[in-house]
Amino acid sequence: MQDIINFTNCKQFGGEARFDENNEIQRLTLKIQYNGLCYKLRFGPHYFYHCISEYLGCSIYSALGIPAQKVLLGIYECAGEKLPAVACQCFNVDNLYLMTMDEILYEQQNTNFGENILNEVCALEQQQDFDAHELKQRFWQMFVVDAYIGVEKRLEDNWGCLFDRSTNRIIGLAPVFNCYSGFCSDRLDADAELKKIFLGQKIDSWFSLYDDTGYTIDNKPVSYFEFLSRTNNIDCLTALAEITKKIDKIDVNKIIDGIELLSKLEKNNFNKYLTLRKELILKKAQQINPTYRMLVKN
């Protein structure tokens, strides 16, 4: 079980504030040093479940064997309050620079692919900065894991590669980062009534199955279940098979139970959330997708 870290007295290197529509501080970001390493610390009065989602999402990625950003949970004392905070280890240290996929794709092809998932996959195949097969493999791995944890805003600016300024070349894929929009965190942090429901009872399937990928096809929003149950993309379906097997083997309950900032009811609801999404999105898509059934049969 992880101890609750107090980041208040860590050395700081500046930061920024994000405001809501009422011009009130919604989230604060500080660059800090903790145990000799550089982190971005994110917290705020309306950012509790975002912090939990970032920590839990990256922890699940790591448990599944997919490199993820190192994250720590703790508190930061501000204006007399002890605010929950998540520290995310910085990528941009020494000669390394995080080059997001929107930078890579726009730089090469001078166009913005927006939110169309089919255009994005095509662009990954056509780019020449990094191995296309490895990029597509990571893309579909993230798509399946994000379907499991409910990430809504991955898109091109939320994943990428590490660029070495000393050699002026990409050296590999960056660990997965920005899992903050999973687990319905946007709604729980912004909607007091929904939070009241979440904290007052066990969650039902409607809560777990809010299923927006953030992507579109023909300008229409695409849900994870809709895409996974219909696609004939072999790379995607291979990732679905492999990731689902790994999910069955990891102890998600242990990861959640180790989060000291959560109540027993919240831990139960997060466990229920993941169980429902595994069964009603990932496994149900496997059952009804004809291409998937032929793939695993062969």
Side-chain angles (χ1 to χ4, degrees):
M1 188 169 289
Q2 183 193 12
D3 293 332
I4 297 177
I5 303 169
N6 191 325
F7 296 108
T8 309
N9 295 321
C10 291
K11 185 177 180 180
Q12 298 179 13
F13 303 93
E16 60 183 4
R18 179 172 294 181
F19 298 86
D20 61 20
E21 61 274 9
N22 298 318
N23 206 33
E24 295 180 353
I25 292 178
Q26 183 180 38
R27 189 181 81 188
L28 296 168
T29 302
L30 297 175
K31 197 172 182 180
I32 65 167
Q33 186 179 73
Y34 178 77
N35 282 349
L37 298 175
C38 179
Y39 289 86
K40 280 189 176 180
L41 184 70
R42 294 171 177 165
F43 61 98
H46 310 295
Y47 201 66
F48 176 78
Y49 289 105
H50 282 79
C51 291
I52 299 299
S53 180
E54 186 75 80
Y55 174 81
L56 187 51
C58 287
S59 298
I60 288 173
Y61 264 101
S62 295
L64 292 170
I66 301 171
Q69 186 175 36
K70 183 178 180 180
V71 287
L72 302 169
L73 267 181
I75 59 169
Y76 187 86
E77 298 178 29
C78 181
E81 292 186 69
K82 293 182 178 180
L83 299 175
V86 61
C88 308
Q89 190 171 346
C90 296
F91 294 126
N92 298 339
V93 293
D94 299 326
N95 291 316
L96 292 184
Y97 166 74
L98 173 63
M99 181 174 282
T100 59
M101 287 311 303
D102 57 346
E103 293 179 85
I104 294 172
L105 298 180
Y106 184 84
E107 180 180 285
Q108 279 208 10
Q109 304 180 40
N110 196 31
T111 186
N112 187 341
F113 292 96
E115 299 177 350
N116 188 301
I117 189 171
L118 302 180
N119 286 347
E120 170 118 355
V121 175
C122 183
L124 295 178
E125 293 173 344
Q126 293 176 0
Q127 61 76 41
Q128 298 177 356
D129 281 339
F130 195 68
D131 181 76
H133 173 74
E134 193 170 346
L135 282 180
K136 288 193 297 178
Q137 184 181 47
R138 172 61 64 83
F139 176 84
W140 290 121
Q141 287 175 337
M142 291 192 303
F143 189 85
V144 175
V145 179
D146 286 349
Y148 176 51
I149 65 178
V151 168
E152 300 172 29
K153 301 174 182 177
R154 180 68 58 190
L155 303 183
E156 295 168 359
D157 59 343
N158 283 321
W159 69 294
C161 297
L162 294 177
F163 183 85
D164 189 339
R165 290 189 176 97
S166 65
T167 59
N168 203 35
R169 60 194 293 257
I170 292 174
I171 60 171
L173 288 167
V176 176
F177 61 98
N178 277 6
C179 296
Y180 62 87
S181 67
F183 304 93
C184 289
S185 61
D186 280 341
R187 286 156 194 77
L188 286 172
D189 279 333
D191 189 330
E193 188 61 31
L194 183 61
K195 182 178 178 180
K196 183 179 178 181
I197 294 171
F198 180 74
L199 292 172
Q201 63 186 37
K202 292 183 178 180
I203 60 173
D204 216 337
S205 59
W206 65 268
F207 187 85
S208 299
L209 296 180
Y210 187 85
D211 198 27
D212 183 16
T213 64
Y215 289 107
T216 64
I217 295 178
D218 296 330
N219 294 318
K220 297 178 181 178
V222 176
S223 77
Y224 285 110
F225 176 72
E226 177 187 14
F227 189 89
L228 291 172
S229 61
R230 296 181 180 181
T231 186
N232 58 5
N233 185 295
I234 299 302
D235 292 331
C236 175
L237 296 176
T238 299
L240 177 60
E242 293 175 349
I243 295 298
T244 306
K245 288 180 181 177
K246 290 181 179 180
I247 289 172
D248 288 337
K249 294 179 180 179
I250 66 172
D251 190 348
V252 174
N253 292 354
K254 185 176 180 180
I255 298 173
I256 295 172
D257 287 343
I259 301 177
E260 285 286 288
L261 296 177
L262 293 178
S263 68
K264 183 177 180 180
L265 176 61
E266 287 171 311
K267 292 176 182 180
N268 290 337
N269 282 343
F270 276 113
N271 278 319
K272 180 71 171 178
Y273 176 94
L274 290 172
T275 298
L276 287 170
R277 291 188 71 88
K278 180 178 72 173
E279 297 299 326
L280 299 181
I281 296 179
L282 300 186
K283 294 201 170 181
K284 188 175 179 181
Q286 292 174 337
Q287 293 168 5
I288 68 175
N289 186 309
T291 307
Y292 180 87
R293 294 202 305 269
M294 290 181 61
L295 177 67
V296 295
K297 183 178 180 180
N298 295 331

